[in-house]
Amino acid sequence: MKQSIIINGTKHEINVDSDMPLLWFLRDELEFTGTKFGCGKGLCGACTVHVNGQAIRSCITPVSTLVDKQITTIEGLSENGDHALQRAWLNNKVPQCGYCQAGQIMNAASLLAVNPAPTIEEIEASMQGNICRCGTYQRITKAISEAADTLSKEA
Amino acid sequence: MSNSTVSRRHFLKIVGVATGGLCISIALPGNVLAEKGIIEDSSTELNAFIHLDENGDTTIYCGRCEMGQGISTALPSAVADEMEADWQRVTVKQGDADEKFGPQATGGSASIRKMYLPMRKAGATAKLMLIAAAAKVWKTSPDNCYAQSHFVINKLNQQKLGFGELASIAKNMPIPDTVTLKKKSEFNYIGKELARHDQNEVVVGKRTYGVDTKMPGLKYAAMIHCPVLGGSIKSVDKTLALKMKGVTDVIEIPRFDVPFGSIGGVAVVADNTWTAQQAVEKLKVEWDLGENVVYNTKEYKQQLVANVEKPATLAKERGNVHRALKKSKHKHKATYTGGHLSHSPMEPNASVVWVQKDSCEVWASTQSPVDIQKVLGQYLKREPTDIVVHVAMAGGAFGRKFKCDYVHEAAVISEKTGVPIQLIWSREEDMRTGYYHSINAQHIEASMDEQGNVTGWLHRAAFPSIPSLFDPSLVRAPKGALSAISNHLFGVQSIRVESGDAKAHTRIGWYRAVNAIFYGFAFSTFADELAYKAGKDPLTFVNQLFDNNNKKKQKKDIKRIKAVLALVAEKSNWHNRENLPEGQGIGLAVHYSFKSFVAMAVHVEVKNDDIKVLNVDCAIDCGQILNIDGATAQMEGAVVMGMSLALTTEITFRDGAVVNSNFHDYPVMRIADMPNVRVHITDSDKSPTGLGEPGVAPFAPALSNAVFAASGKRYRDLPFKPMAV
Ligand code: FES
Ligand code: FES
């Protein structure tokens, strides 16, 4: 029997070389292009997705290590694109080119899942692996704080 | 027919109608626009393009390339504003390569400067035709009608007709001879904080970039280039690569001997990018490295310094600098340097090309779609216009994607394999086969009188220049590349500009802000040094430098540059800086580039040589502002890029090849270093100018000045804290 992984709730058979990183399985095999290639070495965060709710760098995570795991990509973060972070991102007009933003949002979502009320320092520490070459950092920090506030009010 | 008698009809034409809707293209011949002072180049033709469906959905095309600078929101919003279209009903589309969109090569912070008025006129023309259509329906005079929020309204009886209902009638209305543009007070979108048109797609991962193009039958390629510019392939052992499962081809790419052409290399074609990338590692390529193997940036930079610290080739002289220097008792000199920089946008070079017998289609993030048509037309021996280029959103570019070698390469592979090819460069290839911001050295010597007026300014600059791309035999930057020095707004009694020898050994390319990076650094840092030398407050001293400029044609610029400087001084609390805690300081810098004025005040804390940037105040005057949010974002981004290049990023060459390879040894700025950036925008009615680049220049000098104020340590070499690679 073929092995499979679960992506945004749907089961997908792993029909590729087992050492293929999840990033390329997503992008080239399943054509989920929301997850981006930036460096291929775990250095930039553009490829961030969740494995069982936790942020990982998909460019250095072979699919073989993810058998039967629950993967969430930016396309599956929320049903209607209305996760508190996504709303805060729009409200603060965070994106410039936008290329890094899927990774930023996925990384931030993983942070808020374990730390619902992060300090600025905690936000910065946890977002340090995500590069934005356009320079949207100030708005990213603001949007994460805002989303944390929203979530605490909604809870 | 003389220009003035060109009939409106000749340059306003309806070019095609789809599904009963209205398509308006406004083509203004370049000479008319040049006459009106709208564009500088009289040979260019400009267009705007609006499509209105019968249900009112409006598509506005953006002809300029989008890479995150926000142009595809700014320009279409100006169209919508004049048209009285409801922005919620507007979809923005990126135009394919096509001369009907006017000049598409996007660089030099020129899009807004060149396209603001033509785009507004396009909107205003559409509005008048819609009004004329409604007047016809109501059998009344157009004077009795006005447009508002996607409707035309009859003033006499308040009847309304939607833009969609009017589309098919409007398309047959005569094109108005003249249009009256809106007053500033009437703007709906211009000068407001409109969000990017595509941000909703970005946050759900649906925004696609060049790298995201997919289609049936797509094959994936990765490649390697000769590490040294000018080298070539001696031999390729493809055996191991071809043995890999999923690898279908190994293809040698020839050098394209055209401006910005591919330097050639070896590509692997496979079923997916991962396999292709793995297979590239398995190639055994022997290179003939060529003569640039002598290139070592460490020694080269020392040589540049030596070349500017001795007499060099005269570029320009006004007055007699040597006499001024000799006469003066108050003199100062300093040498500044900077390293190569790699653009390193987050989206690496990528394209899809499909060459078929009778067609060639390209999907790419690019700043220069028409150049792709030209180069591929030549390569495939076809008409440039037969090359269809779909311009994708670029995941950052900063000048790199003006040069589309990664498209030429995909075309070769597709031509040879007959299938659509997606070529994605690895980050390592992107960093090592770049076009680099020039390594540089400058030496300035100046003399002052007793009152601190600058009597002589000797300025030598040595850097391999962009023109070396087209003429590799150049041994130094040509005079034109140094004109920014003699045109600088500082008022000095005599000035002498010299160009030091600096032969290029790599490809030099526009990098966001280009030469303004090092000119801005040298001018504003040296002025700060002179102020201390003269015992004056740096702000007072710099204002005096501007006041001493009595060139008539720079008077207006002087007023504007002093105003932005005064604004940041005020906002940063410069005048109370005595009260800052120990170890903190504020530095000022101001620079005029790409026709915009930007000043920065950088507030730092320095502890044992550790530099922490706390606040950056930034004041801009770019004339009438199109989008406050976009302008603000550009400044925030400029600070981040300025901070990377001021503190850490530098590309190092050893034995002709780039040593850096990825973000671990090219440490661009990350979030924890982000200062608090406050942007202050001058309210102005002057014609608008661009902001993509001008913000980068003032950061580094303001930082150098701030660190000096805080600690007494002067940094004159960019980056201040290079990483040993
Ligand atoms: S692409 Fe995975 S961390 Fe950069
Ligand atoms: S928005 Fe462009 S890289 Fe982050």
Side-chain angles (χ1 to χ4, degrees), chain B residues 8 10-15 23-29 33 45-50 99-102 115 117-126 129 175-176 179:
Chain B
R8 234 19 222 177
H10 277 89
F11 51 87
L12 286 175
K13 56 182 197 260
I14 293 204
V15 295
C23 263
I24 297 176
S25 162
I26 297 179
L28 297 167
L33 290 167
E45 191 176 83
L46 299 176
N47 291 255
F49 203 66
I50 304 163
E99 61 178 14
K100 76 183 176 197
F101 293 121
M115 299 303 289
L117 277 181
M119 292 298 264
R120 284 179 64 193
K121 285 181 179 167
T125 303
M129 291 168 77
I175 290 144
V179 293

Side-chain angles (χ1 to χ4, degrees), chain B residues 425-456:
Chain B
W425 285 21
S426 65
R427 174 58 60 191
E428 288 77 8
E429 282 302 295
D430 195 278
M431 207 167 275
R432 289 174 166 167
T433 313
Y435 281 78
Y436 303 97
H437 169 69
S438 351
I439 189 169
N440 59 83
Q442 292 171 89
H443 179 76
I444 308 177
E445 294 183 24
S447 53
M448 295 181 283
D449 64 16
E450 299 299 328
Q451 289 74 42
N453 300 306
V454 175
T455 53

Side-chain angles (χ1 to χ4, degrees), chain B residues 237-248:
Chain B
D237 182 349
K238 312 173 177 175
T239 329
L240 288 177
L242 281 170
K243 266 198 196 136
M244 280 182 66
K245 193 169 143 243
V247 172
T248 52

Side-chain angles (χ1 to χ4, degrees), chain B residues 14 48 61 92 108 126 134 228 240 299 302 309 315 344 372 392 400 455 467 472 534 544 552 565 579 607 658:
Chain B
I14 293 204
Y61 284 85
V92 174
V228 180
L240 288 177
E299 289 74 25
Q302 286 165 356
E309 290 185 343
S344 297
I372 294 175
R400 177 61 180 90
T455 53
Q544 183 180 344
K552 269 217 177 72
L565 187 59
N579 303 333
K607 266 193 208 144
V658 172

Side-chain angles (χ1 to χ4, degrees), chain B residues 552-570:
Chain B
K552 269 217 177 72
K553 64 178 203 300
Q554 291 185 329
K555 274 277 169 280
K556 281 189 193 137
D557 292 345
I558 295 294
K559 211 172 143 205
R560 294 174 74 183
I561 202 162
K562 282 179 68 185
V564 287
L565 187 59
L567 186 55
V568 281
E570 177 207 322

Side-chain angles (χ1 to χ4, degrees), chain A residues 28 36 41 97 137-138, chain B residues 209 212 273 428 669-670 677:
Chain A
D28 289 356
K36 301 299 189 215
K41 297 274 164 34
C97 83
Y137 297 127
Q138 176 159 300
Chain B
Y209 300 79
D212 297 327
T273 304
E428 288 77 8
M669 194 191 133
R670 291 172 185 266
V677 179

Side-chain angles (χ1 to χ4, degrees), chain A residues 42-56:
Chain A
L43 300 165
C44 78
C47 66
T48 306
V49 301
H50 295 174
V51 174
N52 296 342
Q54 240 199 321
I56 57 123

